[in-house]
């Protein structure tokens, strides 16, 4: 983590209420495990992000009380989803909250479902993002987006959901093209995604949740 009060990135991580999160995983996890996996994904994502050298802090935007307690315990700052108007509104709200206290902050969004996230890979992505006013990283399918950044003085302008890679390109954000950052691109929505994340090597909380069902 970057402890320089004037430096480092603030990451905004959005999280749905756990009862609604990761609905497409139910086919492989079952309904009881699904929200617990969603929380484990977020915990592993935030824990890894907080050990990244370029990350100053992590802001979690959520209204879920269980997730709020669990992620705050890891060191995330919790911001209620006050707009309640969907993912992009939540991300814009989180960015505003960061800059309310630190107007010149570099801000980036990061998906909450990156259970294989490697701090060193995230650090490389952030280093690349520092070269541009706005930048993004596509997901493993090259359709969506897992990371979007805005340098000091620039608005985030998130356009997540579905084919967001194309929308972020159209908005003028520069696509980050790096090899060897698979863990930052591997979000998990389906059973196939989870298998790919497990092959990369997931964090301890996801591993602990998933192992009992596959022992």
């Amino acid at each position: 983590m970057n402890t320089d009060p004037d430096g480092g990135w603030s990451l905004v991580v959005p999280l749905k209420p756990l009862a609604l999160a990761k609905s497409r995983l139910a086919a492989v996890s079952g309904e009881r495990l699904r929200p617990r996996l969603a929380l484990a994904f977020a915990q592993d994502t935030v824990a890894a992000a907080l050990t990244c050298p370029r990350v100053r802090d992590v802001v979690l935007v959520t209204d879920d009380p269980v997730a709020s307690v669990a992620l705050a315990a890891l060191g995330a700052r919790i911001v209620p989803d006050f707009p309640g108007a969907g993912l992009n509104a939540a991300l814009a709200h989180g960015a505003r909250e960061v800059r309310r206290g630190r107007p010149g902050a570099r801000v980036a969004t990061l998906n909450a479902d990156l259970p294989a996230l490697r701090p060193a890979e995230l650090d490389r992505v952030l280093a690349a993002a520092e070269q541009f006013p706005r930048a993004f990283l596509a997901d493993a399918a090259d359709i969506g987006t897992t990371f979007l950044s805005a340098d000091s003085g620039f608005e985030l302008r998130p356009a997540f959901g579905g084919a967001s890679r194309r929308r972020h390109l159209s908005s003028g954000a520069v696509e980050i093209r790096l090899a060897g950052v698979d863990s930052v691109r591997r979000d998990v929505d389906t059973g196939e995604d989870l298998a790919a994340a497990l092959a990369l090597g997931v964090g301890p909380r996801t591993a602990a949740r998933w192992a009992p069902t596959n022992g």
Side-chain angles (χ1 to χ4, degrees):
M1 182 188 297
N2 189 310
T3 56
D4 178 354
D6 298 317
W9 287 85
S10 289
L11 299 187
V12 178
V13 177
L15 185 61
K16 284 182 180 179
L18 296 176
L20 304 176
K22 299 297 149 197
S23 58
R24 286 187 283 168
L25 271 183
V28 295
S29 67
E31 275 300 323
R32 183 179 180 189
L33 182 59
R34 176 188 55 76
R36 298 177 185 182
L37 272 178
L39 177 57
F41 293 169
Q43 289 174 300
D44 284 335
T45 300
V46 169
L50 283 169
T51 64
C52 176
R54 281 183 168 80
V55 172
R56 181 182 185 274
D57 56 2
V58 172
V59 171
L60 184 81
V61 183
T62 189
D63 280 336
D64 190 283
V66 172
S68 295
V69 171
L71 275 298
L74 293 177
R77 173 188 169 196
I78 309 302
V79 172
D81 184 5
F82 179 74
L87 175 59
N88 292 308
L91 291 171
H93 172 59
R96 285 192 299 270
E97 284 299 304
V98 167
R99 286 178 170 167
R100 190 187 306 275
R102 209 161 57 100
R106 283 175 164 159
V107 179
T109 71
L110 191 68
N111 287 17
D113 57 354
L114 302 171
L117 184 65
R118 303 287 190 271
E121 293 182 15
L122 176 59
D123 203 60
R124 291 182 60 214
V125 171
L126 290 168
E130 288 173 3
Q131 303 174 50
F132 308 106
R134 293 173 63 246
F136 74 96
L137 187 72
D139 64 10
D142 277 330
I143 296 171
T145 306
T146 58
F147 169 95
L148 173 69
S149 66
D151 205 350
S152 178
F154 293 88
E155 294 299 316
L156 194 59
R157 297 169 58 197
F160 284 82
S164 60
R165 174 179 178 264
R166 180 180 299 176
R167 289 195 298 277
H168 286 132
L169 274 173
S170 298
S171 75
V174 175
E175 183 170 8
I176 296 169
R177 303 293 287 182
L178 287 176
V181 293
D182 295 351
S183 75
V184 196
R185 302 182 66 195
R186 175 44 67 194
D187 56 342
V188 176
D189 289 312
T190 67
E192 291 79 6
D193 296 337
L194 179 56
L198 290 166
L200 285 175
V202 296
R205 296 161 187 85
T206 301
R209 283 295 184 193
W210 185 246
T213 69
N214 292 273

